[in-house]
Amino acid sequence: MPVSTKLIRHGAATVTALVASILVVLPTAGCQSAVEQQRQNAAVSLAPGDPVPRGGDLRVGALRDLSPKTFLQIGTGGLNGQVVANVYDTLIRYSRDSLRVEPALATRWDLAPDGRSLTLDLRPDVTFHDGRPFVSGDVENSIKAYLGGPWTPQFKRTAGAITTFDTRDPHRIVLGFAHPLSNIFDLLDSAPIIDQNTLPQLKAGTTFNGTGPFRFTSWQPNASLRLERNDRYWGGAPPLDSVTFVIVRDQESLYTRLRTGQLDVAEGLSYHDQQLATSRYGFTSVTYKGAEAQEYLGINVANPALSDRRVRTAIAYAIDRDRIIEDVYRGSGYPVNVPWPKWSPAYRPELNNTYRRDVDKARNLLAGVGPIPTLTLDYSPEGVDAVVAQIVQSNLRDIGITVRLIPNDRTAQSAKLIGGKFGGLWLLQHAFAQFTPSTLAVSAYPFNAAKNSSNFRSPAYAAAANAAWTVRDGDSPAALAAYRQLDDVWLKDLFLVEIGVILQKLTTSSAVGNIDWDRRNQMHLADTYLSTKRKQRT
């Protein structure tokens, strides 16, 4: 049953009814054969020593189409990230369980003792899909194209601090920095190596010429996108013949297509449907460990009604984080007051007890403020934020704050975020806490100390962000001290209110094996395979 995006009457009982409505699913007629196929497939697995099955077309359902204009912006979701991850390569990859740097197009690296330069040795056996060899000049051109737009990538500030490129050796590049960059490897893990010769066509969305395991072959806007195996891939030809991404209009259709065998992978199911598919119907859940997102409530401090810190503190006490995590996200996450996932070097569990739901304390804070006008709360009705918005609306009504909900499509919501154009409050998820902690305060739109979506300015915040960013090592004592200063600002000034760390999930049929992913919730399909039974059916 889909979540209604219509505004419903106010009141906690009504919100309870809405949450309950997404927990009820009636049996779907005609699905028995697909369910039985899933049970049969469940027995299909590779024994040690078995060869990996080869061939087949992997069918992936996605809710958002390709957007060339925002192609290099992390967090835009949909097909942008899937094309970046599978048509292109990056210089390095982070491991999934830590910030350990692993080879990709770069095989070796040496960060200078003063942190002012980085030497990278490059693979000599790599070609773009059009046959042109990959050389060091492509690294320089890619970073400059990353800076050049039309996209507004979040690591732009870090890329802009690279001041020199030594490309005299075609298989080695030396990057010089204006100052030490604690998050330089975050950039190199995220920015793809692109072909300068076809850059205009990339911007137009007609040519995607990378070095990755799959070649871009076709795109039908609002319908599908197809990739085919790159037999000359430096990492070895992928098992799959091809990947077809199918654009699906909503979560209900996505769930139906997966259940009826029309898709092998579903990206973007509601947490309830994902839980139902895996617990009852034999589908497989893939949890993107190391790629956590954070649900948060943003606050425009330039709004006079929200400029008083007491109001923002009262809002932090009002939010029922436990309910949102358990009822909406089905327990796939945990409440927080600061953004760090549990494995981050900046994580301090005691800080997450700072603001727990306390209606009396919130009301006492507001008693000395005076009347508060109606506040707006922007949200995207795509996904679960329609439900989260109404829970927040009810929570704030409990402390005497009236909220008017404003639904936006994702494009409008993103534009308001980047431009700092929200009138009052807004709901979104942010990323970047899963990278080097300094990245959050210098790259993420909601947090950027130089210019953020909340219109918050503070010399102390800017100094702490700069201190975290301009050290050589992101886990050094100096960096850890700077992270504590950032935590202090976030907990004191509350220009946004963290709700919880969210564990991102993917749902696959049991015929799909060996899906990998990165810290940006992007699937890596170079080693993915389809079982023999699934290929025989198609």
Side-chain angles (χ1 to χ4, degrees):
M1 178 176 292
V3 176
S4 172
T5 59
K6 295 180 180 179
L7 303 186
I8 62 176
R9 291 179 302 177
H10 298 163
T14 313
V15 175
T16 300
L18 177 65
V19 173
S21 74
I22 68 173
L23 307 183
V24 178
V25 174
L26 299 177
T28 303
C31 289
Q32 182 59 40
S33 61
V35 172
E36 185 58 34
Q37 288 177 5
Q38 274 300 109
R39 290 172 178 154
Q40 293 171 5
N41 275 343
V44 178
S45 59
L46 294 183
D50 281 356
V52 173
R54 302 191 65 82
D57 176 58
L58 184 73
R59 304 160 304 173
V60 180
L63 295 173
R64 280 175 276 171
D65 202 357
L66 187 70
S67 172
K69 185 178 179 180
T70 61
F71 187 63
L72 296 184
Q73 291 169 216
I74 297 174
T76 53
L79 296 192
N80 282 8
Q82 309 310 339
V83 172
V84 167
N86 293 290
V87 175
Y88 297 88
D89 288 308
T90 54
L91 290 173
I92 59 98
R93 284 277 306 275
Y94 278 134
S95 68
R96 295 203 307 234
D97 57 355
S98 72
L99 293 174
R100 185 177 67 253
V101 179
E102 298 180 342
L105 290 180
T107 59
R108 182 181 175 278
W109 44 89
D110 181 31
L111 183 61
D114 65 359
R116 297 289 296 270
S117 67
L118 176 66
T119 301
L120 298 119
D121 291 340
L122 309 176
R123 293 186 185 275
D125 56 346
V126 177
T127 60
F128 286 89
H129 296 157
D130 65 358
R132 184 176 69 80
F134 159 68
V135 293
S136 57
D138 293 307
V139 177
E140 177 179 4
N141 290 335
S142 294
I143 292 174
K144 289 180 176 179
Y146 184 86
L147 286 166
W151 33 73
T152 55
Q154 291 92 332
F155 286 110
K156 190 172 184 177
R157 190 174 173 190
T158 301
I162 301 175
T163 55
T164 61
F165 301 84
D166 182 345
T167 60
R168 288 173 293 178
D169 185 331
H171 303 303
R172 172 177 291 178
I173 187 168
V174 182
L175 305 176
F177 310 142
H179 51 73
L181 294 170
S182 63
N183 69 340
I184 182 59
F185 289 106
D186 294 3
L187 169 69
L188 303 185
D189 172 77
S190 301
I193 298 302
I194 60 179
D195 173 35
Q196 177 70 21
N197 296 338
T198 56
L199 182 58
Q201 294 93 320
L202 170 61
K203 293 178 179 180
T206 59
T207 300
F208 297 83
N209 184 31
T211 62
F214 291 90
R215 298 179 293 106
F216 173 89
T217 58
S218 65
W219 173 39
Q220 296 179 330
N222 301 313
S224 64
L225 184 147
R226 183 174 173 83
L227 309 178
E228 293 183 357
R229 178 173 57 215
N230 175 15
D231 288 318
R232 298 181 301 179
Y233 185 51
W234 58 266
L240 294 169
D241 290 331
S242 57
V243 182
T244 300
F245 294 95
V246 180
I247 309 304
V248 183
R249 69 180 184 273
D250 55 44
Q251 288 180 315
E252 181 181 20
S253 299
L254 186 66
Y255 179 63
T256 299
R257 290 194 185 195
L258 181 70
R259 282 281 313 276
T260 56
Q262 300 174 61
L263 296 172
D264 304 303
V265 178
E267 180 194 34
L269 285 181
S270 73
Y271 281 78
H272 172 252
D273 286 347
Q274 189 275 337
Q275 190 177 68
L276 189 68
T278 55
S279 65
R280 185 175 299 180
Y281 299 117
F283 290 87
T284 300
S285 174
V286 178
T287 300
Y288 285 158
K289 182 182 178 182
E292 296 87 347
Q294 285 75 12
E295 182 81 20
Y296 74 99
L297 178 70
I299 301 177
N300 178 10
V301 301
N303 182 325
L306 295 165
S307 62
D308 190 320
R309 190 185 300 159
R310 291 173 296 177
V311 176
R312 305 198 297 269
T313 305
I315 290 172
Y317 278 120
I319 302 302
D320 193 345
R321 296 170 180 81
D322 291 331
R323 183 183 183 191
I324 292 170
I325 295 299
E326 291 303 318
D327 289 355
V328 180
Y329 288 102
R330 311 296 290 152
S332 186
Y334 44 92
V336 294
N337 292 158
V338 288
W340 314 118
K342 291 179 178 179
W343 54 265
S344 170
Y347 180 71
R348 289 188 290 164
E350 68 276 9
L351 296 183
N352 292 321
N353 294 318
T354 306
Y355 299 108
R356 303 185 71 86
R357 180 161 165 82
D358 191 327
V359 172
D360 290 338
K361 188 173 288 189
R363 286 174 175 167
N364 289 337
L365 283 165
L366 295 180
V369 174
I372 298 174
T374 297
L375 300 174
T376 56
L377 172 57
D378 288 72
Y379 71 98
S380 172
E382 302 172 46
V384 299
D385 273 355
V387 184
V388 178
Q390 297 192 47
I391 293 175
V392 171
Q393 182 186 46
S394 177
N395 291 161
L396 296 187
R397 185 178 305 106
D398 290 342
I399 64 170
I401 295 177
T402 300
V403 168
R404 178 168 59 89
L405 302 184
I406 299 179
N408 301 304
D409 62 33
R410 287 189 182 270
T411 300
Q413 192 82 338
S414 178
K416 287 184 176 183
L417 177 74
I418 295 171
K421 300 299 184 182
F422 292 112
L425 309 173
W426 71 92
L427 277 171
L428 270 172
Q429 290 185 7
H430 72 77
F432 296 97
Q434 75 272 35
F435 288 98
T436 303
S438 62
T439 279
L440 202 60
V442 297
S443 298
Y445 299 128
F447 291 88
N448 195 321
K451 182 182 183 298
N452 54 67
S453 308
S454 296
N455 299 298
F456 174 77
R457 301 288 183 272
S458 162
Y461 184 43
N466 194 61
W469 186 43
T470 57
V471 296
R472 180 185 186 274
D473 299 308
D475 57 356
S476 65
L480 294 175
Y483 304 153
R484 294 188 184 97
Q485 292 174 340
L486 293 174
D487 288 337
D488 290 343
V489 172
W490 294 329
L491 291 173
K492 175 185 175 183
D493 290 295
L494 291 166
F495 59 90
L496 56 78
V497 174
E498 294 283 1
I499 295 174
V501 169
I502 307 303
L503 304 176
Q504 309 286 330
K505 292 180 180 287
L506 187 74
T507 310
T508 78
S509 86
S510 52
V512 179
N514 212 13
I515 287 183
D516 193 10
W517 64 89
D518 59 31
R519 293 187 173 275
R520 297 167 303 286
N521 298 313
Q522 297 169 171
M523 288 181 286
H524 287 253
L525 303 174
D527 297 316
T528 302
Y529 63 86
L530 283 168
S531 72
T532 303
K533 285 191 175 183
R534 154 64 174 83
K535 287 186 291 180
Q536 286 174 344
R537 266 190 217 102
T538 59

